[in-house]
Amino acid sequence: MKIAYIGIDMLYPALLSLAGNCEIMEVFTCETDNATEFNLQVCAFAREHKIPLTVGKIKREDIVRLKKNGCDVVVCGGYYHRIPVDDSLPMVNIHRSLLPIGRGAWPMPATILRGLTESGVTVHKITKEFDEGDILLQERVPVAPKENLRTLTAKQLALLPDMMKRLVTEFDLLWGQAVPQGKGEYWSCPMESDYPITEHMSTVEADLILRAFYGYECIYQIQDKQYGLVGGVLQTDENTRDHRFPVQGGFIEAEQVKEL
């Protein structure tokens, strides 16, 4: 089977698994900040294996070329741009929620903010409507009471090798038996700036936000100043209290701090 892969590093295990089970004929990725989101692994993989690499927006002429060169399936694993849909070339997307619940660009923080106890990964057909295509594969993971974005991501990534192996070895069957989603639920992309932490927040409220965006920049506001906190963790030990980032009943320690 010949695959074209579209994605950034966030779902890199999918690319590795696909490469171990089929031929990767082309790789497409997009520009990232390479600070919180990356394309370094995907680009290095393509260059190391001498696979044609495109960094930028995939175009309809790319789809035409893929079909002409014998591409069997396009697999998308995290990408910023709309992919031109062609009904004559199967295309699937890897989405990190239990569709049809959790449609949208960034469902993982929303999973934690909503206090859900279960999440997972869905592989679905790419259609003109975002995240609404028929489902080929879906696997579930529990969401622990103190789950953060990093630990939830690790659970989801652990599902990918087996899911991708099954995708390529059973593709015709999975494609033919794909299940329509039906009515779903779209989650607007949560933004760190929409969830500022303040000194008047309770430890419960602050902890929820810190866990939902762990690894990304959380906004902490005190009086007329704002700080960006990356890798923030709630602390309640008075003996080591850091007065810079207090909340009601505790304070925040962060791996990285910058004044905004």
Side-chain angles (χ1 to χ4, degrees):
M1 176 173 279
K2 299 173 74 172
I3 299 286
Y5 186 80
I6 305 172
I8 60 176
D9 289 359
M10 69 164 63
L11 296 178
Y12 185 62
L15 175 58
L16 291 181
S17 180
L18 289 168
N21 292 281
C22 61
E23 176 188 345
I24 308 296
M25 59 182 297
E26 285 198 41
V27 172
F28 297 81
T29 189
C30 48
E31 297 287 352
T32 60
D33 60 15
N34 287 326
T36 56
E37 292 187 337
F38 302 83
N39 65 9
L40 303 177
Q41 291 176 305
V42 169
C43 291
F45 177 91
R47 290 166 182 146
E48 178 184 351
H49 295 278
K50 296 180 172 56
I51 299 170
L53 171 67
T54 299
V55 181
K57 186 178 294 187
I58 188 169
K59 300 176 181 178
R60 188 160 297 280
E61 48 262 42
D62 295 315
I63 301 299
V64 172
R65 182 184 68 258
L66 291 173
K67 290 199 300 179
K68 181 179 179 181
N69 292 338
C71 181
D72 295 302
V73 184
V74 172
V75 178
C76 180
Y79 190 64
Y80 296 168
H81 308 295
R82 183 184 287 273
I83 299 170
V85 176
D86 188 318
D87 292 336
S88 64
L89 177 60
M91 302 180 183
V92 300
N93 180 56
I94 306 166
H95 187 79
R96 287 190 286 169
S97 82
L98 296 174
L99 293 175
I101 305 301
R103 293 171 180 159
W106 207 23
M108 299 79 69
T111 296
I112 295 171
L113 289 168
R114 290 165 179 255
L116 301 185
T117 60
E118 192 176 48
S119 183
V121 174
T122 304
V123 179
H124 66 92
K125 294 182 180 181
I126 294 177
T127 61
K128 293 179 181 178
E129 296 76 24
F130 283 120
D131 303 330
E132 295 189 18
D134 297 353
I135 294 173
L136 284 74
L137 288 168
Q138 188 172 81
E139 296 292 342
R140 299 169 181 268
V141 294
V143 180
K146 288 295 184 179
E147 200 84 70
N148 66 42
L149 182 58
R150 185 172 292 174
T151 59
L152 177 57
T153 295
K155 289 179 179 180
Q156 293 171 328
L157 294 184
L159 297 174
L160 294 179
D162 286 345
M163 291 183 77
M164 294 301 99
K165 182 178 180 180
R166 187 179 172 198
L167 177 68
V168 297
T169 57
E170 304 176 29
F171 184 80
D172 289 341
L173 177 64
L174 293 171
W175 185 266
Q177 296 182 353
V179 178
Q181 290 190 35
K183 185 177 181 180
E185 185 175 304
Y186 179 86
W187 296 346
S188 297
C189 186
M191 305 296 291
E192 301 96 314
S193 57
D194 295 330
Y195 296 90
I197 301 170
T198 72
E199 60 184 314
H200 305 296
M201 268 189 178
S202 70
T203 54
V204 173
E205 293 174 299
D207 180 61
L208 181 64
I209 296 169
L210 291 169
R211 289 188 290 107
F213 297 106
Y214 191 83
Y216 288 78
E217 186 175 79
C218 292
I219 307 301
Y220 178 87
Q221 185 169 325
I222 183 167
Q223 298 176 357
D224 60 345
K225 290 186 177 181
Q226 284 191 334
Y227 298 87
L229 310 182
V230 177
V233 176
L234 188 70
Q235 302 287 354
T236 57
D237 185 353
E238 290 290 336
N239 294 325
T240 58
R241 187 174 179 83
D242 184 339
H243 292 282
R244 286 190 302 167
F245 310 117
V247 295
Q248 296 298 307
F251 66 96
I252 299 167
E253 288 184 347
E255 297 172 1
Q256 299 176 38
V257 176
K258 70 176 181 180
E259 188 170 349
L260 303 178

